[in-house]
Amino acid sequence: MNVTSNHLEVRPQPDMYSSGGEELSKRTEDFGLPVSRSRGFEGHPILITSLRKGQELRVRCYAKKGTAKDHAKWSPCTALGFEYDPYNKLRHTTYWFETDKVAEWPLSANAAEEEPPQEDAPFDFTAEPERFYFNVETDGSLTAKEVILKSLAELRSRVATVVFNIDNPAVTDAMDTSEAPMQPMGQRPNGQERSFGSPAAAGSWSSSPNGANLAQGWNSPNAMAQGGWNV
């Protein structure tokens, strides 16, 4: 025995549809049912598993919402195609034919939406496609119209976010030094190296307070030499 999606039963939870709302008003009687059990479905149901004689199966399924960006199983579209320039005015398509180009490359139904080109019209090398024709097929969870409208709303939201960020650039805090370039340790701004603890290095600090370099080093508080401390 084959267990298919037609064997699944939808049992709404209590108070699931009591909140109301615009989205609930759009739901049909087939909402939540497997596609194979929806009205007008002519295909085959989805096979879940096969059972032998005497076997049984108890399954509790949970429906989870998601987007096709995470996994294709959440995509409501089963097929999507588009076309532009049905008369090939832009010459983006090279027709390969044996005898008759017109007979072997028939025009699509979208050609009725545009005017046929004139035979003596000059070719425009700078022309770009301006009209696109889409054909959307869904699995029944959403209608093709709902898919198009929700896609346009999402695209409009993303474009609005980009425009908002351009018109309102982020203000950088003057006290924020996280992006400021750091100077390597042991190097002066003019590129000269500076060593610590080496009395012989030019411009260095003496390693000992009583070092011989009295002019630039540290001196004992009891010394009266120039550059030292006096008590």
Side-chain angles (χ1 to χ4, degrees), residues 85-89 107 114-121:
D85 189 20
Y87 286 102
N88 197 26
K89 300 177 184 179
L107 296 175
E114 300 184 8
E115 296 181 0
Q118 300 179 1
E119 295 182 359
D120 56 347

Side-chain angles (χ1 to χ4, degrees), residues 3 55 70 110 138 141 148-149 180 200:
V3 181
Q55 291 181 333
D70 299 329
N110 299 323
T138 67
S141 57
I148 295 297
L149 293 180

Side-chain angles (χ1 to χ4, degrees), residues 8-222:
L8 298 177
E9 296 182 1
V10 179
R11 297 181 180 180
Q13 299 294 327
D15 301 331
M16 179 179 293
Y17 306 114
S18 60
S19 58
E22 182 181 358
E23 289 295 331
L24 295 180
S25 62
K26 299 179 182 179
R27 296 178 179 177
T28 62
E29 298 179 357
D30 297 337
F31 179 80
L33 294 177
V35 178
S36 58
R37 293 180 55 185
S38 60
R39 290 174 295 181
F41 182 79
E42 299 179 355
H44 298 281
I46 300 174
L47 177 64
I48 299 177
T49 187
S50 298
L51 299 179
R52 289 182 177 181
K53 183 178 180 180
Q55 291 181 333
E56 65 178 8
L57 181 66
R58 289 188 179 183
V59 179
R60 177 177 295 180
C61 303
Y62 296 91
K64 294 184 179 180
K65 296 178 63 176
T67 62
K69 188 175 182 179
D70 299 329
H71 198 282
K73 65 183 178 183
W74 280 308
S75 175
C77 297
T78 55
L80 191 148
F82 77 95
E83 180 190 18
Y84 68 91
D85 189 20
Y87 286 102
N88 197 26
K89 300 177 184 179
L90 305 178
R91 301 181 184 178
H92 289 178
T93 302
T94 302
Y95 294 133
W96 182 91
F97 60 94
E98 294 181 349
T99 56
D100 187 1
K101 181 179 67 174
V102 177
E104 298 178 17
W105 291 89
L107 296 175
S108 64
N110 299 323
E113 303 292 336
E114 300 184 8
E115 296 181 0
Q118 300 179 1
E119 295 182 359
D120 56 347
F123 177 66
D124 187 3
F125 291 90
T126 62
E128 296 289 341
E130 299 178 352
R131 181 178 296 183
F132 296 83
Y133 306 93
F134 282 85
N135 183 21
V136 180
E137 298 180 4
T138 67
D139 57 8
S141 57
L142 293 175
T143 63
K145 182 179 180 180
E146 289 176 327
V147 170
I148 295 297
L149 293 180
K150 289 181 180 294
S151 300
L152 293 177
E154 178 66 21
L155 181 62
R156 182 176 59 181
S157 175
R158 295 185 181 184
V159 173
T161 302
V162 174
V163 174
F164 178 81
N165 292 333
I166 294 176
D167 295 339
N168 302 273
V171 179
T172 305
D173 189 359
M175 300 300 295
D176 185 9
T177 60
S178 59
E179 301 296 333
M182 298 184 64
Q183 179 180 344
M185 296 182 62
Q187 185 175 2
R188 293 182 177 180
N190 57 3
Q192 298 178 358
E193 294 185 356
R194 179 180 61 189
S195 60
F196 297 92
S198 177
S204 62
W205 295 350
S206 178
S207 59
S208 172
N210 297 324
N213 195 349
L214 300 181
Q216 297 180 357
W218 295 350
N219 196 11
S220 171
N222 298 325

